[in-house]
Structure formats: C-alpha cells, structure tokens
Amino acid sequence: MNYPGYFLRHSNYDFQLARNGGTPRFAADATFRQVAGLADSSWSSFQSYNYPDRYIRHYAYQLRPDPITTTTGRGDATFRMNEPSRRRRAPGKGARGHRLRSRP
C-alpha cells in the first residue's frame, strides 16, 4: 500500500481505503485472516475477522466481502501471494508490499 495510515476496510458490504479511525470497529472491519485458499490450498484466501462467513472476493473487477457458496466463488476468493518487489523506492514513496494474483 502506498498510503501510510490507510487500510482496506469493509463497510456496508463494500471496500474502501480509509484512514485508521482508531476505534475497535475500524480494527475489526480492517482485519482479515489469511487461510488456505478455498479453491487451491497452496494459494490463500482472506477471511473477514468480524464476519467470518465472508471472504475477500474479486467480482466484476472489484473486491467484495462475500459469503462463498459456489465453485466460482471459491475461485474468485483464492489468491496467490507474490513476493514484494526488490526495487528500491525513493524515501516517502510507500512501503514494499505483497501483490495478490487471482486464480485464472
């Protein structure tokens, strides 16, 4: 993430990039547990902390916190973690982070 102090948070069944409000609700909305991939256990899925029946899923070029009930949903909620870039970044240009790639 190139926005220090901002986190991916779910709200009203949608995601937003939001500044940390410091509340317990914000912390719960911005916390996801990395679990074995729902479609491929060698990849990863991300389970919502405060809605454990929901996972980060890509759908129609957007991320959504959805319950996963179908084979298509399991594929859409399964990601491969790529290692951070080894390129040096200029000071103040954000931290190196992992990249996610969804299943084909």
Side-chain angles (χ1 to χ4, degrees):
M1 206 50 85
N2 290 331
Y3 301 96
Y6 285 78
F7 296 84
L8 186 63
R9 174 191 189 179
H10 67 83
S11 178
N12 298 318
Y13 304 109
D14 197 7
F15 280 108
Q16 58 184 323
L17 188 61
R19 184 175 287 284
N20 185 350
T23 65
R25 177 64 183 247
F26 184 94
D29 287 351
T31 300
F32 298 87
R33 186 168 69 110
Q34 184 176 351
V35 298
L38 300 176
D40 182 334
S41 63
S42 68
W43 290 31
S44 297
S45 291
F46 298 90
Q47 181 182 35
S48 171
Y49 173 78
N50 55 349
Y51 294 97
D53 66 323
R54 294 181 178 270
Y55 293 81
I56 296 176
R57 175 188 185 185
H58 74 85
Y59 180 83
Y61 300 101
Q62 295 185 356
L63 293 177
R64 299 165 37 149
D66 280 348
I68 305 301
T69 59
T70 66
T71 301
T72 299
R74 284 189 288 279
D76 290 351
T78 301
F79 301 89
R80 184 175 73 172
M81 299 284 290
N82 291 338
E83 289 299 317
S85 170
R86 299 285 182 213
R87 294 183 303 159
R88 289 181 164 251
R89 294 183 184 247
K93 294 295 182 185
R96 291 187 191 109
H98 289 278
R99 291 183 166 197
L100 296 178
R101 187 177 106 192
S102 63
R103 283 181 44 93

